[in-house]
Amino acid sequence: MAIVLHAHLPYVHSSEPGSLEEDWYFQALLECYIPLLEVLEAAAADPAQRPRLSLGLSPTLLSLLGSAELGARFQPWLAVRLELLAQAHPSHAAAASAQAARLEATIAAWQSCGGDLLPRFRRLQQAGVLDLLTCAATHGYLPLLREFPEAVRGQLLTAVREHERLLGTRPQGIWLPECAYYEGLDRILTGAGLRYAILDAHGLLHGLPRPRFGVYAPIVSPGGMAFFGRDSGSTLPVWSARDGYPGQAAYREFHRDLGWDLPSSELVEHGIASPRPLGLKLHSVSGRDCPLEQKQPYEPKRAAAAAAADAGHYLAGRREQLEQLAGAMERRPLLVAPFDAELFGHWWYEGPRFLAELFRQAPAAGVGLVSLRESLGGGQTLQLCQPSPSSWGQGGYHNYWLNETNAWIVPEWHRATAAMVARVNSGVASAQARDLLNQAARELLLAQSSDWSFILRAGTTTDLARERIHRHLNRFWRLLAAVDGRDTPPADWLAAVQREDGLFPLVNAADWASLPLRSPPAG
């Protein structure tokens, strides 16, 4: 079985501390990324275990992890939550005590590594525990950028460069944003040096010809890219809050947060202007249909026991599944179980403990763990197959990112990309103009983030999403005008933009030069 996690956040860096977006990052650090590292490091140190995990780290998340400015704000953020935790009701003493211990341990862990998690990811990859994948630079939804292959290439080459800069090796695997695929994308992927990716099940099952082994073996596309298919039997028990493990009564309730329960005056005293989730959750799920106001106090020991039991149940199911498949296949079956990394710890607080139990119990359960990269190294022949257009989003194709709420963005991307390609083809006459064009490339990439389209469709923080799209597009057009000499932005404006949107230091506007026309793929 290959467990694959995709860790991603949009670029939420801001020169002003205390933003809602910054909270997203710090809560993910506290609840997901640091616990995940700790689980992997502990499992790797145990000779009785053989942990393996494929992990996508998106380039925008890597940029956040590499930001010293953001890192310096994390410990004070934790300290504020420790202070607020003291206001919890006595009936939640056990949960509050466990949460305080987690906060204190995180502060100690942050100090011990100097606020830099990237070397820890690198060491786990060097040890063979992690297979680190990249993503598109800003999680751009690639099928909606296909009218300009230069836009797709810009997303991919920027991603590969940033991954190598921060992690020391060129990635071979990629988590396609939303696992979204379109015909011919495989050739652009291999052109960027990438070799394997994951699709939802129908991306393989609707392929031509239909894969002989379904989703239980990778295929290779005409462009030379290996694709793995998601196995729903391995994912449904974990990701479904209603039908899966996270919805069990003993686990921590996500939606009931101390930030909603404390008086606003208390929050203001600690520099939090209005009620918002703080990452301090002291209630249990208490039952699938239990109203929020009736949630019971969270019991950490009960939840830990549930995680161990659920991991054993999950592994037993996978063992039975693998045994049945082995009797019907001529090659060793592979179960691919992909998830958003933030499910483990953020949405499902006990998720990291569940993973720790999987690593611990897998040998005795007879389930071998393997990374995607390892699974391709066995010398087995892959079936040649043209994958089907697909995504893992609602509906299985592209409608979640192209509908009445967000379709207006697509022509804006196209107009900006056309101008970018034309400008790059014309060349620049000075180093200053080149720097302006590189900054315009950053703004174009940031405007293409699929996160904003997703938020518009989901109907959450939509004002924020619209503001971010317009902000990056406005900056793009102003920078392009400056390259052409039609406008000279004030020095302080330019400095502020370069500081706030200063990610991807190796971005190269030349990646948007015109691609030669190619014949469409056969079939």
Side-chain angles (χ1 to χ4, degrees):
M1 180 171 67
I3 303 170
V4 191
L5 303 186
H6 172 50
H8 165 66
L9 283 176
Y11 190 63
V12 293
H13 190 284
S14 172
S15 56
E16 295 297 325
S19 67
L20 175 63
E21 304 102 300
E22 192 175 273
D23 269 11
W24 297 346
Y25 173 57
F26 288 158
Q27 287 185 32
L29 272 180
L30 169 66
E31 297 169 340
C32 178
Y33 309 140
I34 293 175
L36 180 60
L37 278 169
E38 291 171 348
V39 163
L40 289 164
E41 289 163 345
D46 182 352
Q49 300 184 43
R50 190 182 181 276
R52 292 292 185 272
L53 185 72
S54 294
L55 175 65
L57 295 172
S58 75
T60 47
L61 175 58
L62 285 175
S63 297
L64 298 173
L65 291 169
S67 168
E69 183 179 1
L70 267 182
R73 299 177 194 167
F74 184 46
Q75 192 169 322
W77 184 91
L78 293 169
V80 166
R81 274 136 189 86
L82 263 174
E83 293 172 5
L84 288 167
L85 202 54
Q87 309 304 316
H89 192 273
S91 61
H92 295 90
S97 176
Q99 178 72 83
R102 177 69 239 176
L103 290 166
E104 290 165 352
T106 301
I107 291 172
W110 192 251
Q111 292 173 338
S112 69
C113 68
D116 188 1
L117 303 184
L118 295 178
R120 298 169 67 180
F121 286 111
R122 287 198 295 267
R123 286 193 291 270
L124 287 165
Q125 176 161 269
Q126 291 161 0
V129 174
L130 274 182
D131 168 25
L132 294 177
L133 318 178
T134 189
C135 186
T138 58
H139 216 265
Y141 194 83
L142 301 182
L144 297 185
L145 304 179
R146 67 180 295 181
E147 182 170 327
F148 290 91
E150 298 86 355
V152 177
R153 183 178 64 177
Q155 283 274 351
L156 296 176
L157 292 180
T158 304
V160 168
R161 233 180 257 120
E162 188 70 356
H163 189 100
E164 184 175 17
R165 182 181 76 86
L166 290 172
L167 295 171
T169 57
R170 290 179 66 85
Q172 293 191 9
I174 182 170
W175 180 291
L176 294 172
E178 318 302 349
C179 297
Y181 182 78
Y182 67 89
E183 307 97 320
L185 177 58
D186 55 335
R187 289 177 168 81
I188 304 179
L189 291 167
T190 54
L194 298 163
R195 294 293 175 261
Y196 54 94
I198 305 152
L199 300 179
D200 207 329
H202 58 294
L204 266 65
L205 297 179
H206 294 179
L208 296 174
R210 184 182 172 93
R212 182 180 181 187
F213 301 116
V215 298
Y216 304 114
I219 57 97
V220 64
S221 75
M225 190 79 179
F227 287 98
F228 297 83
R230 180 177 75 95
D231 171 43
S232 61
S234 299
T235 54
L236 184 65
V238 177
W239 70 258
S240 173
R242 174 155 292 275
D243 302 315
Y245 305 126
Q248 301 223 25
Y251 290 136
R252 196 175 84 163
E253 170 61 43
F254 173 79
H255 296 285
R256 183 77 184 268
D257 191 287
L258 196 61
W260 302 120
D261 292 342
L262 288 175
S264 297
S265 58
E266 186 71 40
L267 298 176
V268 170
E269 266 186 47
H270 289 82
I272 301 168
S274 59
R276 65 168 66 167
L278 301 174
L280 303 177
K281 306 174 196 300
L282 306 176
H283 294 79
S284 66
V285 172
S286 306
R288 298 185 189 275
D289 299 313
C290 180
L292 276 181
E293 64 274 9
Q294 295 178 20
K295 299 291 183 180
Q296 298 302 302
Y298 177 64
E299 301 176 48
K301 291 182 180 179
R302 184 179 170 217
D310 285 341
H313 178 268
Y314 179 79
L315 287 168
R318 306 292 71 72
R319 171 64 184 263
E320 180 181 356
Q321 191 179 2
L322 286 166
E323 288 176 344
Q324 290 174 351
L325 288 167
M329 289 176 59
E330 299 168 5
R331 58 175 288 162
R332 180 177 295 181
L334 175 68
L335 304 179
V336 178
F339 306 95
D340 283 328
E342 292 77 18
L343 168 65
F344 294 86
H346 179 60
W347 299 103
W348 180 26
Y349 185 66
E350 295 77 14
R353 183 178 290 273
F354 177 84
L355 283 176
E357 289 292 337
L358 287 187
F359 296 145
R360 186 180 67 81
Q361 297 181 40
V367 176
L369 300 179
V370 67
S371 71
L372 296 180
R373 186 169 182 171
E374 277 182 316
S375 74
L376 292 173
Q380 297 190 81
T381 302
L382 304 186
Q383 181 181 351
L384 181 65
C385 177
Q386 178 67 262
S388 171
S390 53
S391 85
W392 81 339
Q394 184 181 28
Y397 294 97
H398 310 315
N399 58 299
Y400 204 89
W401 293 270
L402 186 66
N403 54 69
E404 65 277 2
T405 69
N406 53 30
W408 61 269
I409 307 169
V410 179
E412 295 294 332
W413 290 338
H414 289 170
R415 190 166 70 93
T417 301
M420 182 70 178
V421 171
R423 194 65 197 75
V424 170
N425 288 342
S426 298
V428 294
S430 67
Q432 181 183 17
R434 180 199 61 208
D435 291 345
L436 290 169
L437 198 55
N438 283 339
Q439 187 61 42
R442 293 185 183 98
E443 302 301 335
L444 181 56
L445 288 168
L446 288 167
Q448 291 169 343
S449 169
S450 72
D451 300 277
W452 312 131
S453 300
F454 181 91
I455 288 172
L456 290 173
R457 171 62 178 81
T460 60
T461 59
T462 53
D463 288 344
L464 183 152
R466 287 191 192 90
E467 191 278 328
R468 287 296 295 264
I469 295 165
H470 289 303
R471 179 201 307 177
H472 295 306
L473 286 173
N474 289 340
R475 289 176 177 178
F476 168 82
W477 288 113
R478 192 166 186 185
L479 287 160
L480 220 59
V483 173
D484 288 337
R486 293 182 282 110
D487 179 33
T488 303
D492 58 345
W493 179 88
L494 185 58
V497 167
Q498 290 172 332
R499 181 186 175 199
E500 190 161 275
D501 297 341
L503 74 174
F504 308 151
L506 301 183
V507 71
N508 186 354
D511 295 339
W512 280 262
S514 285
L515 286 171
L517 293 175
R518 295 181 179 177
S519 300

Tab-separated table of all heavy atoms in Angstrom, residues 212-244:
chain	number	residue	atom	x	y	z
A	212	ARG	N	-5.573	-3.038	-17.733
A	212	ARG	CA	-5.857	-4.435	-17.429
A	212	ARG	C	-6.035	-4.669	-15.935
A	212	ARG	O	-6.866	-5.476	-15.512
A	212	ARG	CB	-4.715	-5.296	-17.964
A	212	ARG	CG	-4.910	-6.780	-17.759
A	212	ARG	CD	-3.733	-7.555	-18.321
A	212	ARG	NE	-3.906	-8.994	-18.152
A	212	ARG	CZ	-2.971	-9.894	-18.430
A	212	ARG	NH1	-1.798	-9.474	-18.906
A	212	ARG	NH2	-3.192	-11.180	-18.231
A	213	PHE	N	-5.258	-3.960	-15.116
A	213	PHE	CA	-5.304	-4.166	-13.672
A	213	PHE	C	-6.035	-3.046	-12.937
A	213	PHE	O	-5.873	-2.884	-11.728
A	213	PHE	CB	-3.883	-4.317	-13.125
A	213	PHE	CG	-3.117	-5.465	-13.738
A	213	PHE	CD1	-1.993	-5.225	-14.497
A	213	PHE	CD2	-3.558	-6.770	-13.571
A	213	PHE	CE1	-1.290	-6.269	-15.076
A	213	PHE	CE2	-2.862	-7.827	-14.144
A	213	PHE	CZ	-1.724	-7.578	-14.906
A	214	GLY	N	-6.848	-2.297	-13.683
A	214	GLY	CA	-7.615	-1.217	-13.058
A	214	GLY	C	-6.708	-0.214	-12.363
A	214	GLY	O	-5.707	0.242	-12.924
A	215	VAL	N	-7.069	0.141	-11.106
A	215	VAL	CA	-6.274	1.117	-10.358
A	215	VAL	C	-5.219	0.433	-9.490
A	215	VAL	O	-4.529	1.108	-8.723
A	215	VAL	CB	-7.175	1.996	-9.456
A	215	VAL	CG1	-8.149	2.789	-10.286
A	215	VAL	CG2	-7.900	1.142	-8.401
A	216	TYR	N	-5.062	-0.884	-9.640
A	216	TYR	CA	-4.186	-1.633	-8.731
A	216	TYR	C	-2.783	-1.839	-9.286
A	216	TYR	O	-1.992	-2.617	-8.746
A	216	TYR	CB	-4.836	-2.959	-8.366
A	216	TYR	CG	-6.205	-2.740	-7.764
A	216	TYR	CD1	-7.355	-3.177	-8.415
A	216	TYR	CD2	-6.346	-2.038	-6.565
A	216	TYR	CE1	-8.608	-2.931	-7.868
A	216	TYR	CE2	-7.597	-1.788	-6.031
A	216	TYR	CZ	-8.724	-2.240	-6.687
A	216	TYR	OH	-9.966	-1.984	-6.153
A	217	ALA	N	-2.464	-1.103	-10.360
A	217	ALA	CA	-1.101	-1.057	-10.899
A	217	ALA	C	-0.973	0.248	-11.674
A	217	ALA	O	-1.936	0.705	-12.293
A	217	ALA	CB	-0.841	-2.249	-11.817
A	218	PRO	N	0.203	0.876	-11.654
A	218	PRO	CA	0.372	2.110	-12.437
A	218	PRO	C	0.378	1.804	-13.926
A	218	PRO	O	0.644	0.678	-14.357
A	218	PRO	CB	1.731	2.641	-11.961
A	218	PRO	CG	2.466	1.432	-11.468
A	218	PRO	CD	1.420	0.506	-10.904
A	219	ILE	N	0.056	2.824	-14.722
A	219	ILE	CA	0.151	2.732	-16.185
A	219	ILE	C	1.165	3.767	-16.658
A	219	ILE	O	1.593	4.636	-15.890
A	219	ILE	CB	-1.220	2.949	-16.855
A	219	ILE	CG1	-1.834	4.324	-16.441
A	219	ILE	CG2	-2.189	1.858	-16.474
A	219	ILE	CD1	-1.619	5.432	-17.400
A	220	VAL	N	1.558	3.680	-17.931
A	220	VAL	CA	2.437	4.694	-18.512
A	220	VAL	C	1.733	5.293	-19.718
A	220	VAL	O	1.109	4.591	-20.514
A	220	VAL	CB	3.819	4.108	-18.897
A	220	VAL	CG1	3.689	3.064	-20.001
A	220	VAL	CG2	4.777	5.222	-19.314
A	221	SER	N	1.796	6.623	-19.826
A	221	SER	CA	1.095	7.329	-20.902
A	221	SER	C	1.963	7.381	-22.148
A	221	SER	O	3.174	7.118	-22.101
A	221	SER	CB	0.771	8.751	-20.439
A	221	SER	OG	1.953	9.547	-20.453
A	222	PRO	N	1.386	7.757	-23.303
A	222	PRO	CA	2.193	7.905	-24.522
A	222	PRO	C	3.322	8.912	-24.365
A	222	PRO	O	4.349	8.803	-25.045
A	222	PRO	CB	1.166	8.378	-25.561
A	222	PRO	CG	-0.125	7.811	-25.076
A	222	PRO	CD	-0.050	7.897	-23.583
A	223	GLY	N	3.156	9.887	-23.477
A	223	GLY	CA	4.211	10.874	-23.247
A	223	GLY	C	5.283	10.411	-22.282
A	223	GLY	O	6.204	11.171	-21.964
A	224	GLY	N	5.182	9.166	-21.784
A	224	GLY	CA	6.224	8.622	-20.920
A	224	GLY	C	6.043	8.917	-19.445
A	224	GLY	O	6.982	8.763	-18.660
A	225	MET	N	4.832	9.308	-19.022
A	225	MET	CA	4.545	9.627	-17.628
A	225	MET	C	3.810	8.448	-16.980
A	225	MET	O	2.846	7.927	-17.542
A	225	MET	CB	3.668	10.884	-17.579
A	225	MET	CG	3.484	11.486	-16.205
A	225	MET	SD	4.915	12.462	-15.728
A	225	MET	CE	4.358	13.041	-14.104
A	226	ALA	N	4.273	8.030	-15.803
A	226	ALA	CA	3.572	6.985	-15.064
A	226	ALA	C	2.458	7.612	-14.237
A	226	ALA	O	2.643	8.669	-13.629
A	226	ALA	CB	4.541	6.230	-14.164
A	227	PHE	N	1.301	6.958	-14.215
A	227	PHE	CA	0.158	7.450	-13.452
A	227	PHE	C	-0.366	6.344	-12.534
A	227	PHE	O	-0.487	5.186	-12.941
A	227	PHE	CB	-0.966	7.910	-14.385
A	227	PHE	CG	-0.666	9.200	-15.095
A	227	PHE	CD1	-0.170	9.180	-16.394
A	227	PHE	CD2	-0.861	10.423	-14.463
A	227	PHE	CE1	0.107	10.371	-17.054
A	227	PHE	CE2	-0.576	11.611	-15.117
A	227	PHE	CZ	-0.085	11.591	-16.412
A	228	PHE	N	-0.676	6.747	-11.299
A	228	PHE	CA	-1.283	5.873	-10.312
A	228	PHE	C	-2.731	6.290	-10.124
A	228	PHE	O	-3.052	7.476	-10.188
A	228	PHE	CB	-0.561	5.993	-8.965
A	228	PHE	CG	0.878	5.561	-8.986
A	228	PHE	CD1	1.881	6.427	-9.403
A	228	PHE	CD2	1.235	4.288	-8.572
A	228	PHE	CE1	3.205	6.036	-9.418
A	228	PHE	CE2	2.561	3.887	-8.569
A	228	PHE	CZ	3.551	4.756	-8.996
A	229	GLY	N	-3.606	5.325	-9.839
A	229	GLY	CA	-5.019	5.622	-9.626
A	229	GLY	C	-5.411	5.482	-8.169
A	229	GLY	O	-4.968	4.561	-7.472
A	230	ARG	N	-6.268	6.387	-7.709
A	230	ARG	CA	-6.746	6.360	-6.318
A	230	ARG	C	-7.681	5.182	-6.098
A	230	ARG	O	-8.605	4.956	-6.873
A	230	ARG	CB	-7.482	7.666	-6.006
A	230	ARG	CG	-8.020	7.748	-4.567
A	230	ARG	CD	-8.660	9.097	-4.305
A	230	ARG	NE	-9.970	9.214	-4.929
A	230	ARG	CZ	-11.125	8.961	-4.321
A	230	ARG	NH1	-11.138	8.573	-3.060
A	230	ARG	NH2	-12.268	9.110	-4.952
A	231	ASP	N	-7.436	4.449	-5.007
A	231	ASP	CA	-8.307	3.335	-4.634
A	231	ASP	C	-9.313	3.822	-3.615
A	231	ASP	O	-8.957	4.164	-2.480
A	231	ASP	CB	-7.476	2.193	-4.061
A	231	ASP	CG	-8.347	1.107	-3.452
A	231	ASP	OD1	-9.361	0.752	-4.086
A	231	ASP	OD2	-8.044	0.639	-2.336
A	232	SER	N	-10.587	3.848	-3.978
A	232	SER	CA	-11.610	4.378	-3.074
A	232	SER	C	-11.774	3.517	-1.831
A	232	SER	O	-12.086	4.026	-0.752
A	232	SER	CB	-12.945	4.504	-3.809
A	232	SER	OG	-13.377	3.229	-4.274
A	233	GLY	N	-11.538	2.204	-1.948
A	233	GLY	CA	-11.652	1.345	-0.776
A	233	GLY	C	-10.645	1.678	0.304
A	233	GLY	O	-10.898	1.474	1.491
A	234	SER	N	-9.499	2.227	-0.102
A	234	SER	CA	-8.454	2.586	0.857
A	234	SER	C	-8.599	4.006	1.389
A	234	SER	O	-7.954	4.349	2.386
A	234	SER	CB	-7.073	2.445	0.201
A	234	SER	OG	-6.845	1.119	-0.209
A	235	THR	N	-9.411	4.819	0.739
A	235	THR	CA	-9.522	6.219	1.151
A	235	THR	C	-10.812	6.532	1.899
A	235	THR	O	-10.804	7.318	2.849
A	235	THR	CB	-9.411	7.153	-0.069
A	235	THR	OG1	-10.371	6.759	-1.064
A	235	THR	CG2	-8.012	7.093	-0.667
A	236	LEU	N	-11.923	5.916	1.487
A	236	LEU	CA	-13.219	6.263	2.080
A	236	LEU	C	-13.245	6.118	3.601
A	236	LEU	O	-13.768	6.999	4.299
A	236	LEU	CB	-14.336	5.428	1.447
A	236	LEU	CG	-15.756	5.783	1.917
A	236	LEU	CD1	-16.134	7.201	1.476
A	236	LEU	CD2	-16.768	4.770	1.371
A	237	PRO	N	-12.683	5.043	4.194
A	237	PRO	CA	-12.771	4.918	5.652
A	237	PRO	C	-12.046	6.023	6.410
A	237	PRO	O	-12.292	6.211	7.603
A	237	PRO	CB	-12.110	3.553	5.931
A	237	PRO	CG	-12.129	2.827	4.637
A	237	PRO	CD	-12.023	3.881	3.588
A	238	VAL	N	-11.152	6.727	5.722
A	238	VAL	CA	-10.328	7.728	6.408
A	238	VAL	C	-10.850	9.141	6.182
A	238	VAL	O	-10.935	9.941	7.119
A	238	VAL	CB	-8.853	7.618	5.961
A	238	VAL	CG1	-8.002	8.696	6.622
A	238	VAL	CG2	-8.294	6.240	6.304
A	239	TRP	N	-11.213	9.473	4.953
A	239	TRP	CA	-11.536	10.888	4.697
A	239	TRP	C	-12.991	11.245	4.988
A	239	TRP	O	-13.323	12.419	5.175
A	239	TRP	CB	-11.175	11.301	3.265
A	239	TRP	CG	-12.019	10.737	2.162
A	239	TRP	CD1	-11.688	9.713	1.333
A	239	TRP	CD2	-13.321	11.167	1.730
A	239	TRP	NE1	-12.700	9.469	0.426
A	239	TRP	CE2	-13.711	10.358	0.648
A	239	TRP	CE3	-14.195	12.171	2.168
A	239	TRP	CZ2	-14.925	10.492	-0.007
A	239	TRP	CZ3	-15.415	12.308	1.504
A	239	TRP	CH2	-15.761	11.490	0.435
A	240	SER	N	-13.873	10.261	5.044
A	240	SER	CA	-15.287	10.574	5.203
A	240	SER	C	-15.626	10.826	6.671
A	240	SER	O	-15.526	9.923	7.504
A	240	SER	CB	-16.147	9.423	4.675
A	240	SER	OG	-17.509	9.652	4.975
A	241	ALA	N	-16.033	12.051	6.994
A	241	ALA	CA	-16.399	12.377	8.374
A	241	ALA	C	-17.678	11.667	8.785
A	241	ALA	O	-17.865	11.339	9.959
A	241	ALA	CB	-16.563	13.892	8.521
A	242	ARG	N	-18.572	11.403	7.821
A	242	ARG	CA	-19.848	10.767	8.165
A	242	ARG	C	-19.720	9.256	8.189
A	242	ARG	O	-20.225	8.586	9.088
A	242	ARG	CB	-20.930	11.201	7.169
A	242	ARG	CG	-22.269	10.484	7.357
A	242	ARG	CD	-23.426	11.283	6.839
A	242	ARG	NE	-23.659	12.474	7.651
A	242	ARG	CZ	-24.386	12.488	8.765
A	242	ARG	NH1	-24.930	11.382	9.228
A	242	ARG	NH2	-24.554	13.607	9.433
A	243	ASP	N	-19.037	8.686	7.195
A	243	ASP	CA	-18.975	7.227	7.080
A	243	ASP	C	-17.639	6.655	7.553
A	243	ASP	O	-17.500	5.435	7.641
A	243	ASP	CB	-19.209	6.804	5.626
A	243	ASP	CG	-20.551	7.290	5.107
A	243	ASP	OD1	-21.537	7.154	5.843
A	243	ASP	OD2	-20.596	7.819	3.982
A	244	GLY	N	-16.680	7.501	7.831
A	244	GLY	CA	-15.350	7.018	8.170
A	244	GLY	C	-14.977	7.256	9.623
A	244	GLY	O	-15.789	7.688	10.447
